[in-house]
Every structure is written in structure tokens, then in C-alpha cells.
Amino acid sequence: MSASEKAKATTEQASGKVKEAAGRTVGNEKLTAEGRAEQVTGDAREAKEKLKDAARD
């Protein structure tokens, strides 16, 4: 996994968790959903990079 893609995935996952938690705290469903979506995007990016790494090996 390239370092920049790994960093992007980690950043998306972390910011998604923060948004989701903030949304739950203030009762904002839109913010909660945005946070979940960012986490999913980060998870997908990470999975894609892992598949690339596995294909190289």
C-alpha cells in the first residue's frame, strides 16, 4: 500500500469517526451520516490498496 494512499484512508476513517460522534452528540443525523460515509470511503480505499499489494505479491 502506498504511503500516501494509506494516509488518505486513515485520515478519512478518523475524520469520519469524529463527524459521526459529533453528529450523535448534537443530534444531527446528516452529520452522522456524513461521518459514516467518510468511514466507508476510507475503508474502501484501504481495501483497494490491500488488493493491489496482494496482486503484486
Side-chain angles (χ1 to χ4, degrees), residues 6-32:
K6 183 177 182 180
K8 286 180 186 177
T10 303
T11 302
E12 285 177 334
Q13 291 167 337
S15 67
K17 286 180 183 179
V18 169
K19 277 187 180 180
E20 183 179 3
R24 285 185 181 182
T25 300
V26 297
N28 185 333
E29 287 298 317
K30 182 179 177 188
L31 189 58
T32 303

Side-chain angles (χ1 to χ4, degrees), residues 1 5 9 41-56:
M1 180 183 302
E5 290 297 314
T41 303
D43 292 344
R45 184 185 305 272
E46 183 177 24
K48 178 185 80 171
E49 290 301 314
K50 285 184 179 180
L51 283 174
K52 281 184 184 178
D53 289 345
R56 286 187 204 133

